[in-house]
Amino acid sequence: MNKKAFGLLTALIGIVTIIFVGLGFVYEKSENEKQNGLTAIFDVSATGVIATVRFEKGKAGIYLNTKDDGPIVQFPVEQKILDISFSNDGKRLAYVVSEKESSSDSISDVHLLDIDTKADILAFSVTAIITELAFDPKNPDKLFYLQADVFTNYSPITGKRPHDFDVHSYNLDNKTQTRHTDLKKYGMQSLHVSATDESVFVQMDDDENVQSADELFASYQRIFKIPLDMPDEKEIISNPTGQQDIYDFLVLPELDEIIYQAVGGTKSNGTYEYELFSFNWETNQTKQLTRLKEYAAKPILGSNQKIYFLVDLNFAGRTPDYTIYQMDLDGENIVEILW
Amino acid sequence: MDEWPCAKEHGRIDMKPEFIRFVTGIVRQTDCNREEREDLYEELLTHLECSFIDYQKKGYSEEEAMRTAMTNFGTEQEVGDQLQEAMYPYRKGMMLGLSVASLLFAYSVYASQLFIMGDAHILWLILAVLIGMAVLFVTVRPVTSLNRRLWMNGLLLVHLFVYFYGLLLATDVLPPYSVGLTIIAVLILLLGIILIYRTTIYDYPSKRPALWKDAKRLHFINITLGILVVFVTLFFLWALLLFSEVSSIFLLLLIPIGLWMLSYAVQMRLLANQKVTWAYAIVFTQIAAVVVMIFLVRGI
């Protein structure tokens, strides 16, 4: 190739590269703007309304029943909705908002939304990360929540995450906050409030009596019932000797059952398959309810005695692909809820 | 020069400027280093001058003899390509293939990342195009001073690192686009690795013929170990970055690469000083250490 031809080729490659660089500046999206679609946050009201949190070009919003109606509330791309919870009568929806970039100085704003009038009020704010909300079925003015007091990495080989969890509540009537536990748990999730007595149910590590790092690694995540007047006398209500971690659950007191999420198998590429199971604490019987071989999560009891749950069809992929399903209490008639 | 009968017959030959320009053009088409170029240059020039003298003896005028000698020789491009192919079979084609495939891959993966994933990897694109162009440049316009093993391997190693990142970008694109791009990236990296092996072992061998075989063996083992060490290090770096933020602890990961480079340099120095046994002792210790590490990791 002679000098002139090579010079022309170099110029051509230079021009093409400059065009691609220019396109890069025009079409690049920020991480916040890339978020789109359904998140893992949803709830079902006593009146059968399904509320979901969706991203629309990075903006988090709450949608009722269908996305076509548009969001009833929506926040700037810098903020996220961490959880939502319907009141027992289904007329109010509590939700918590915080910055997407979490830190130990993050502020969590808890809002109350009137489903009929769509009036939205800020109930309270705390300088901490509130990860979950749940109304007290016995008292419509009491809202329980899980609060993480720090956002850090306790090990140099892990990223920063919320830790030092405890159970708190907020009285909407007299506007007072109460801290119910002093556990400072490394992790705590799936907050449920008992409909019959003064206690809450949470999932956390069964690591109270561990003495060494080996014992800590060998411990399992289980479901605990915490009496609010004597939080130290918490008890395990999932299978206490079960050899599997439990991640998410739903308590069905009238059936003496819990429906929980656990690993059900492994795909050929090594990715875990998460399924829903039921455990009867009277008979100690465990039953596998789903066999979707995907990532089934977050079981919620609907007013029609159906279990609603999420399935991530792209679990362990770059972006999740959530779909809502429903099934009977015994795991029969699994159908996808179309949006 | 004495091997040419005409040189013996006519003694000193006057080099014609036309022949010098013609032969320079031919030699430029090859990947020879400076020493090889000088030999080739002298040989071609003598051949042309002898041919010129023969034609003059047959009754051609000076200008006719000169033109006929060059015409019968072939064009600069043809002769240069034939010499290149004879001295380094398929090398030019492999280098050309590497540069063109690399450039096309760079634009494709950049566009896929931009329009499918929303990420503009501008710095990587510029680096990938520059390195692709550099490989193209040394292939179609060889520079004598650059055609040494160190420079060529340096270029190919930089290419390997830049396009390994390209492989990661290709796997990151949503399927099914990621499948095709990943296959192309793997093929480009394999071609780059093959070129590093042949550049080191075959194209630019040791200047001491007695040590050629030992040098080839040691280069082969060290390059293979080097690729293994670098990719295992990158894997651990990726795994750490997945779960934590950048920390000075990550510098510890560079220790195995540093030890490998030191060991490679020591072996080559020992070989240059004819201490072949010591060089082999080090390389076998190195292999044993890697095997022990593999068993330890499997045990964990």
Side-chain angles (χ1 to χ4, degrees):
Chain A
M1 189 179 279
N2 62 37
K3 242 182 196 173
K4 196 179 170 186
F6 188 76
L8 281 172
L9 182 67
T10 307
L12 181 70
I13 289 171
I15 290 166
V16 171
T17 307
I18 289 166
I19 291 170
F20 271 99
V21 169
L23 288 171
F25 283 113
V26 176
Y27 289 102
E28 185 174 31
K29 291 177 188 167
S30 69
E31 283 305 312
N32 286 340
E33 287 171 331
K34 284 181 203 165
Q35 293 172 306
N36 266 310
L38 193 63
T39 69
I41 302 162
F42 84 110
D43 199 9
V44 184
S45 79
T47 55
V49 174
I50 300 174
T52 58
V53 174
R54 301 180 68 88
F55 279 114
E56 193 181 65
K57 291 184 179 172
K59 292 179 184 170
I62 296 174
Y63 296 72
L64 298 181
N65 285 332
T66 168
K67 67 174 187 283
D68 298 333
D69 293 342
I72 49 172
V73 287
Q74 195 171 46
F75 290 89
V77 290
E78 295 80 19
Q79 293 187 303
K80 63 182 172 185
I81 298 169
L82 288 108
D83 196 23
I84 60 174
S85 178
F86 273 113
S87 60
N88 232 27
D89 58 6
K91 290 187 175 174
R92 286 189 296 181
L93 182 75
Y95 64 93
V96 57
V97 182
S98 187
E99 296 296 311
K100 282 182 182 170
E101 292 289 324
S102 295
S103 71
S104 287
D105 299 326
S106 287
I107 294 170
S108 298
D109 294 331
V110 177
H111 292 246
L112 284 172
L113 182 73
D114 189 299
I115 297 297
D116 295 328
T117 64
K118 308 290 186 289
D120 182 38
I121 58 159
L122 174 65
F124 67 98
S125 296
V126 291
T127 307
I129 300 170
I130 293 177
T131 56
E132 291 188 32
L133 301 167
F135 273 100
D136 186 347
K138 308 175 294 293
N139 179 358
D141 287 325
K142 202 167 187 183
L143 182 67
F144 283 85
Y145 56 93
L146 297 183
Q147 180 176 310
D149 287 335
V150 297
F151 185 81
T152 187
N153 51 331
Y154 280 131
S155 160
I157 58 159
T158 60
K160 287 184 177 176
R161 290 185 182 86
H163 296 298
D164 289 9
F165 280 91
D166 272 298
V167 179
H168 298 245
S169 72
Y170 181 78
N171 192 305
L172 300 169
D173 195 22
N174 59 25
K175 299 183 179 6
T176 53
Q177 287 165 262
T178 308
R179 178 176 178 161
H180 295 283
T181 61
D182 188 19
L183 297 168
K184 293 189 185 306
K185 289 297 285 188
Y186 183 83
M188 188 187 281
Q189 61 178 19
S190 286
L191 172 67
H192 289 77
V193 185
S194 171
T196 53
D197 57 12
E198 292 299 318
S199 60
V200 295
F201 303 93
V202 290
Q203 177 264 33
M204 51 191 188
D205 284 317
D206 182 14
D207 59 357
E208 195 134 273
N209 299 314
V210 298
Q211 302 289 330
S212 64
D214 287 342
E215 283 181 11
L216 185 66
F217 283 121
S219 66
Y220 289 97
Q221 298 185 7
R222 304 195 195 280
I223 302 169
F224 289 79
K225 182 178 183 179
I226 304 175
L228 295 175
D229 50 348
M230 286 179 289
D232 291 338
E233 294 186 11
K234 57 187 177 297
E235 59 175 323
I236 296 169
I237 63 160
S238 55
N239 186 351
T241 56
Q243 301 291 301
Q244 62 180 169
D245 284 315
I246 289 175
Y247 299 98
D248 205 356
F249 68 93
L250 165 68
V251 183
L252 301 171
E254 63 277 15
L255 298 176
D256 300 327
E257 272 187 7
I258 49 172
I259 290 175
Y260 64 92
Q261 179 207 33
V263 173
T266 311
K267 287 184 195 293
S268 56
N269 64 1
T271 306
Y272 286 139
E273 296 162 350
Y274 289 80
E275 305 286 1
L276 295 180
F277 299 80
S278 66
F279 171 73
N280 187 303
W281 61 74
E282 288 296 322
T283 62
N284 270 345
Q285 290 291 307
T286 300
K287 181 186 174 188
Q288 186 168 344
L289 300 178
T290 63
R291 284 183 171 78
L292 297 169
K293 298 191 177 298
E294 297 286 351
Y295 178 87
K298 203 158 183 182
I300 293 174
L301 181 65
S303 58
N304 52 358
Q305 292 300 297
K306 297 273 188 186
I307 304 290
Y308 291 81
F309 62 99
L310 272 178
V311 175
D312 181 0
L313 300 171
N314 189 34
F315 179 65
R318 185 177 165 123
T319 49
D321 179 12
Y322 292 114
T323 307
I324 298 175
Y325 281 71
Q326 71 170 30
M327 65 179 176
D328 296 339
L329 292 173
D330 56 4
E332 296 297 317
N333 301 315
I334 295 177
V335 288
E336 185 183 337
I337 305 285
L338 297 173
W339 286 81
Chain B
M1 199 187 291
D2 288 348
E3 65 199 63
W4 292 93
C6 70
K8 283 179 184 164
E9 199 175 315
H10 300 284
R12 190 176 170 276
I13 297 172
D14 290 328
M15 300 299 179
K16 303 203 174 305
E18 289 84 353
F19 287 164
I20 291 172
R21 273 200 301 276
F22 183 68
V23 170
T24 306
I26 291 171
V27 175
R28 195 183 287 144
Q29 309 297 321
T30 67
D31 273 344
C32 304
N33 59 29
R34 193 187 298 274
E35 227 169 71
E36 289 166 334
R37 277 184 185 218
E38 279 168 10
D39 290 345
L40 187 63
Y41 182 85
E42 198 176 336
E43 197 166 332
L44 292 174
L45 212 49
T46 310
H47 181 84
L48 269 175
E49 289 285 354
C50 289
S51 182
F52 166 74
I53 291 164
D54 286 344
Y55 284 119
Q56 270 194 321
K57 276 185 184 171
K58 286 176 187 169
Y60 286 61
S61 69
E62 186 177 337
E63 197 174 325
E64 276 175 342
M66 199 161 58
R67 201 171 47 244
T68 311
M70 287 195 288
T71 308
N72 288 347
F73 209 68
T75 65
E76 289 175 16
Q77 188 71 44
E78 278 170 6
V79 180
D81 285 348
Q82 284 166 8
L83 283 168
Q84 166 70 19
E85 205 57 22
M87 294 172 80
Y88 309 100
Y90 307 114
R91 181 179 169 81
K92 195 167 186 174
M94 287 169 79
M95 292 289 283
L96 208 57
L98 182 72
S99 59
V100 173
S102 298
L103 286 168
L104 292 175
F105 169 78
Y107 291 126
S108 306
V109 83
Y110 174 85
S112 304
Q113 275 284 341
L114 180 61
F115 296 117
I116 299 169
M117 313 307 291
D119 291 322
H121 296 273
I122 292 170
L123 186 63
W124 177 79
L125 176 75
I126 293 169
L127 275 175
V129 170
L130 283 176
I131 198 75
M133 278 299 291
V135 175
L136 184 67
F137 181 77
V138 298
T139 307
V140 297
R141 308 273 312 160
V143 182
T144 316
S145 57
L146 285 184
N147 278 331
R148 287 157 57 194
R149 191 165 62 190
L150 184 68
W151 287 104
M152 287 303 289
N153 271 344
L155 186 63
L156 289 168
L157 276 174
V158 174
H159 175 277
L160 202 61
F161 279 109
V162 170
Y163 280 85
F164 179 74
Y165 189 78
L167 168 70
L168 299 181
L169 292 180
T171 56
D172 186 49
V173 180
L174 288 179
Y177 307 100
S178 59
V179 179
L181 288 172
T182 303
I183 291 170
I184 295 167
V186 169
L187 291 175
I188 288 171
L189 291 178
L190 280 176
L191 184 55
I193 290 169
I194 290 168
L195 276 162
I196 290 174
Y197 275 108
R198 75 167 283 176
T199 301
T200 311
I201 299 169
Y202 298 105
D203 293 340
Y204 303 107
S206 164
K207 285 171 188 168
R208 292 169 188 259
L211 299 174
W212 277 0
K213 278 187 179 174
D214 297 310
K216 276 183 185 181
R217 276 191 210 115
L218 290 176
H219 280 312
F220 181 82
I221 294 168
N222 277 288
I223 293 170
T224 309
L225 284 175
I227 290 168
L228 188 74
V229 168
V230 168
F231 282 96
V232 168
T233 303
L234 288 175
F235 171 77
F236 278 107
L237 187 66
W238 167 78
L240 279 174
L241 284 172
L242 205 62
F243 296 108
S244 62
E245 288 158 15
V246 178
S247 142
S248 54
I249 293 173
F250 287 12
L251 291 173
L252 293 174
L253 285 174
L254 297 176
I255 291 174
I257 295 179
L259 287 174
W260 167 75
M261 289 168 75
L262 184 69
S263 161
Y264 196 176
V266 169
Q267 288 166 49
M268 289 303 113
R269 179 57 61 91
L270 287 169
L271 200 64
N273 293 333
Q274 310 268 359
K275 293 178 178 169
V276 181
T277 314
W278 279 104
Y280 277 110
I282 290 177
V283 84
F284 284 126
T285 310
Q286 203 176 352
I287 293 169
V290 170
V291 171
V292 168
M293 285 295 286
I294 290 169
F295 275 104
L296 282 176
V297 170
R298 280 170 65 97
I300 292 167

